[in-house]
Amino acid sequence: MSKILAIESSCDETAVAVLVDGKLLANVISSQVDVHRKYGGVMPEIASRLHAENIGVCLKEAYNQSHLSAKDMDAIAVTRGPGLIGCLHVGLQAAKALAFAHHKPLIPVHHLAGHIYANEYVGQLKFPLLAVVVSGGNTELVLMDKPLSFQIIGETKDDAVGECYDKVARVLGLPYPGGLPIDQHAQKGKHTYDIPVPLKGHRDYDFSYSGLKTSVVNLVHNLTQKGEEIRLDDMCRSFQDVATGMIVDRALRAAEEYHVKQVVLAGGVSANSDLRKKMQEVIKGDVELVIPPLWCTTDNAAMIAKVAEHLYEEKLFAPLSLAVDPNWKIDHYREF
Ligand code: KG4
């Protein structure tokens, strides 16, 4: 039983949640995506400034929704990393100020643990579990043999899958963030373009998305130079098949090798309709597939509060000298 106030500000969403005895009483998200869209990606300096402007408003709204405030809480939780350094900093300073002013423990939370634990809003996690973490900043397979135990068994060697979607979208003239528009065009297209599959035949669980992005960029430039039409729907379908295929391939092999009871999807790219469909097709039998509801695929503080509930039981509290870590690895989440 716990009363948690959680803050998330790792990228372009300022978010505050209040979770009381497992009940989500407030879940406030202020997205900056409309501001960053005109730059074709997140501008870190602008993002930090907007967090600083928005955090107070989000806190106030969370207090209104929950009819509670920081003084009523058992702990203040905050995303400490990974993410953009200036953005993380704003959330951490707000959390520290509240913890200091109201004499509450401070709980540092790993952003990707948040994405994984968002699935607890769907149902109970069952171990051993394979988490397929696919977002704008990260792409990794995380094995959990028990609660709060994270082992990275595969990760991207270069770009994250969401980053690849956003860059490919830009080349195709689609708006930022590119995941949803590409997904929508792909639903109307056929796989007609030949796009090489990165790391084909590799038996480990690593990913590579930089080469995939370059293949699409080169293909688009070659077609343009030859004056050929680019069939947008078909291009999106061909790209999406390769991008999501890599994830499904790794997830299926890992689920089999590690005999997991559950596979959970996590992160922004888990909103992808083909990824959801393909995973449902291949993960079956005794292995349960958990897909997060769309509302918690994007960044939010409810997921941070969920992890913090568990960390509160373990009393994993940080001193007020805590600093952010933009490159914090999930298997080091106890080190701060
Ligand atoms: O989890 P998230 O907010 O990023 C990080 O926390 O790093 O995810 C954002 C990413 C963006 O790159 C966006 O293009 C992608 O998720 N995305 C999608 C879809 N919806 C969002 N990618 C593929 N298909 C989608 N439907």
Side-chain angles (χ1 to χ4, degrees):
M1 291 295 180
S2 56
K3 298 185 183 68
I4 309 281
L5 175 87
I7 297 176
E8 152 68 39
S9 69
S10 63
C11 190
D12 58 348
E13 265 94 26
T14 320
V16 178
V18 175
L19 187 65
V20 172
D21 300 339
K23 266 203 189 143
L24 191 59
L25 299 188
N27 185 25
V28 180
I29 303 171
S30 166
S31 175
Q32 310 172 359
V33 72
D34 289 339
V35 177
H36 298 294
R37 187 169 288 127
K38 45 182 179 284
Y39 304 102
V42 177
M43 294 294 282
E45 184 55 40
I46 295 175
S48 322
R49 274 195 241 163
L50 289 175
H51 283 306
E53 276 175 30
N54 294 337
I55 187 72
V57 182
C58 290
L59 278 167
K60 225 182 211 170
E61 179 57 24
Y63 295 165
N64 284 341
Q65 285 183 12
S66 63
H67 304 291
L68 295 169
S69 74
K71 69 173 174 7
D72 306 307
M73 297 294 122
D74 292 324
I76 311 294
V78 63
T79 304
R80 174 182 179 249
L84 298 169
I85 187 164
C87 297
L88 291 165
H89 201 63
V90 175
L92 181 63
Q93 294 314 315
K96 279 187 192 179
L98 292 173
F100 176 72
H102 300 287
H103 310 284
K104 306 291 178 188
L106 179 69
I107 303 181
V109 178
H110 193 281
H111 180 75
L112 299 183
H115 274 305
I116 295 171
Y117 271 85
N119 284 290
E120 278 202 332
Y121 288 106
V122 182
Q124 209 194 341
L125 300 184
K126 293 174 193 155
F127 304 94
L129 170 158
L130 178 74
V132 180
V133 183
V134 283
S135 74
N138 300 83
T139 305
E140 53 194 48
L141 290 189
V142 179
L143 184 68
M144 298 177 67
D145 54 10
K146 56 181 195 290
L148 294 178
S149 151
F150 305 98
Q151 184 196 348
I152 301 170
I153 58 166
E155 61 190 327
T156 182
K157 293 170 178 290
D158 38 59
D159 292 353
V161 56
E163 190 181 352
C164 180
Y165 262 92
D166 295 340
K167 287 176 178 165
V168 165
R170 198 186 318 190
V171 168
L172 296 175
L174 296 170
Y176 171 84
L180 183 59
I182 289 184
D183 193 4
Q184 287 168 335
H185 281 284
Q187 301 315 309
K188 298 177 277 177
K190 287 203 180 74
H191 191 143
T192 54
Y193 289 105
D194 186 19
I195 297 174
V197 177
L199 303 180
K200 199 173 177 180
H202 279 229
R203 300 305 296 165
D204 60 18
Y205 300 113
D206 285 337
F207 301 84
S208 168
Y209 281 98
S210 167
L212 176 57
K213 171 199 68 192
T214 310
S215 299
V216 179
V217 170
N218 289 345
L219 184 57
V220 168
H221 286 167
N222 287 343
L223 292 171
T224 311
Q225 272 179 348
K226 286 192 221 155
E228 285 183 31
E229 178 209 2
I230 292 157
R231 296 179 313 276
L232 187 59
D233 294 345
D234 293 348
M235 184 65 80
C236 289
R237 156 60 55 207
S238 308
F239 163 73
Q240 180 146 300
D241 281 351
V242 178
T244 56
M246 211 182 333
I247 301 167
V248 176
D249 164 72
R250 271 59 169 173
L252 177 60
R253 283 193 289 111
E256 284 170 353
E257 182 180 337
Y258 291 97
H259 305 289
V260 298
K261 287 206 179 111
Q262 226 177 30
V263 175
V264 308
L265 293 186
V269 181
S270 68
N272 187 269
S273 51
D274 283 325
L275 181 62
R276 289 171 169 240
K277 233 182 281 163
K278 286 188 202 168
M279 290 293 284
Q280 274 161 340
E281 281 162 19
V282 301
I283 305 293
K284 37 190 185 199
D286 292 341
V287 186
E288 188 186 345
L289 175 68
V290 184
I291 298 182
L294 284 177
W295 72 264
C296 63
T297 57
T298 47
D299 290 348
N300 62 81
M303 67 187 197
I304 302 303
K306 250 306 161 205
V307 184
E309 238 183 10
H310 296 274
L311 298 177
Y312 181 76
E313 279 168 30
E314 294 204 5
K315 301 213 174 332
L316 198 73
F317 305 146
L320 290 180
S321 56
L322 182 74
V324 301
D325 183 350
N327 302 309
W328 208 17
K329 299 294 270 183
I330 195 166
D331 43 1
H332 289 91
Y333 79 96
R334 287 175 177 274
E335 293 162 28
F336 41 80

